[in-house]
Amino acid sequence: MLAHYRVIDRLAVGGMGEIYTARDTRLGRRVALKVLTSEDVAGAGRLQRFQAEARAVAAMTHPNIVTIHGVEPDHDRHFIAMELVEGRTLTEMIPPGGMPLREFFRVAEQLTEAVAIAHQSGITHRDLKPDNVMVSSSGQVKVLDFGLAKLIDEPARTAPEGGTPVDGGRAPSARLTKEGGLLGTVPYMSPEHVTRRGIDHRSDIFSRGIILYEMRTGERPFRGTTLGTAMSSITHDPVEPVRRLRKGIPRSIE
């Protein structure tokens, strides 16, 4: 038990804690619980700021953004109770050659709508990636973890120049990267995120562009086998036009 939630199963483990399915014994509904790591809520005022951010995200009501029920304590642990979204992640849905055009538009439109609504509400995601996008069996898109990375981010420190492996290919990179104080998932970061020049809604738009590129081609625009080379690719390498990678893509999509 966590407070009044009966834990059923563990779904995933990430840099921001562990995620479980559970049953709300008060309301009789299934939910998802994200149990935060102790370092995520440590420090003076940090938990209060995190709760304030969660309330702001919870105030957003949109069919393409996962609903947050609240941030709750259980003795020395804190967790986020949220809507349980059942389906597949976008990572699982993207085939090696990219999505068919009709499916691409269906997902891209809903993803874009969710990002736009959040930005209008003053919320920046900071970790947009296919693993944070769920698609139900009916085709409804749900973006997860909106705003939850923002207040976990600490003041930037110097990042290492290499040595930490990251995935530069098609396999999923599901973890939240915290090497050297850098928080996010490197292959989907904007140049401003990588170089710590300040992150706002434009960084999310860049990350969404990377996702759309991968959805249509099956490949990521930036590559690298280590943290350092991946960051260098984002800040320096030109992007291969999608029409060179896949035939039959309209120029307007490119």
Side-chain angles (χ1 to χ4, degrees):
M1 297 292 293
L2 279 173
H4 58 280
Y5 298 95
R6 184 177 301 281
V7 175
I8 299 171
D9 194 13
R10 186 168 72 174
L11 288 176
V13 179
M16 289 171 63
E18 299 181 334
I19 304 174
Y20 299 88
T21 57
R23 184 169 184 80
D24 184 336
T25 58
R26 291 179 179 173
L27 299 178
R29 62 183 175 185
R30 280 162 53 89
V31 298
L33 303 180
K34 174 169 284 191
V35 181
L36 304 175
T37 63
S38 57
E39 65 176 11
D40 287 339
V41 294
R46 200 166 188 193
L47 177 60
Q48 288 75 17
R49 295 196 306 274
F50 193 93
Q51 290 171 328
E53 179 73 9
R55 284 195 294 269
V57 177
M60 291 191 298
T61 55
H62 191 271
N64 297 127
I65 298 176
V66 69
T67 300
I68 291 181
H69 302 313
V71 179
E72 304 190 34
D74 182 72
H75 301 291
D76 59 343
R77 293 176 295 184
H78 291 84
F79 62 92
I80 302 166
M82 64 186 77
E83 172 189 6
L84 177 63
V85 181
E86 297 184 288
R88 292 188 296 166
T89 67
L90 193 51
T91 297
E92 297 171 309
M93 291 183 60
I94 300 175
M99 289 180 165
L101 197 59
R102 183 183 298 274
E103 186 177 28
F104 168 84
F105 274 122
R106 178 171 56 83
V107 175
E109 182 177 12
Q110 295 181 73
L111 171 61
T112 300
E113 179 74 11
V115 173
I117 290 295
H119 291 170
Q120 290 171 18
S121 302
I123 303 292
T124 303
H125 193 292
R126 293 189 172 204
D127 194 28
L128 278 177
K129 57 185 178 183
D131 278 342
N132 276 337
V133 180
M134 293 284 293
V135 182
S136 71
S137 57
S138 64
Q140 184 178 32
V141 171
K142 290 275 189 179
V143 180
L144 313 179
D145 284 358
F146 248 119
L148 299 186
K150 180 179 180 182
L151 289 172
I152 290 179
D153 202 5
E154 288 284 13
R157 300 190 297 274
T158 302
E161 289 301 319
T164 302
V166 298
D167 171 36
R170 267 287 300 124
S173 62
R175 73 188 186 284
L176 205 61
T177 306
K178 289 188 178 179
E179 293 92 352
L182 187 67
L183 187 141
T185 305
V186 173
Y188 299 96
M189 286 183 179
S190 67
E192 290 76 15
H193 197 158
V194 167
T195 58
R196 296 173 172 81
R197 285 183 287 171
I199 303 173
D200 59 20
H201 67 283
R202 293 169 293 184
S203 183
D204 278 354
I205 294 172
F206 191 95
S207 298
R208 188 206 55 165
I210 296 176
I211 295 172
L212 297 183
Y213 186 104
E214 184 176 0
M215 285 170 56
R216 196 63 188 99
T217 67
E219 298 183 25
R220 294 180 185 143
F222 305 108
R223 299 173 178 272
T225 56
T226 68
L227 182 65
T229 58
M231 293 164 65
S232 177
S233 177
I234 291 169
T235 53
H236 296 101
D237 291 352
V239 175
E240 186 79 6
V242 294
R243 279 153 58 92
R244 291 186 191 172
L245 294 177
R246 298 290 179 264
K247 294 181 179 179
I249 294 179
R251 186 174 298 276
S252 59
I253 297 295
E254 181 178 69

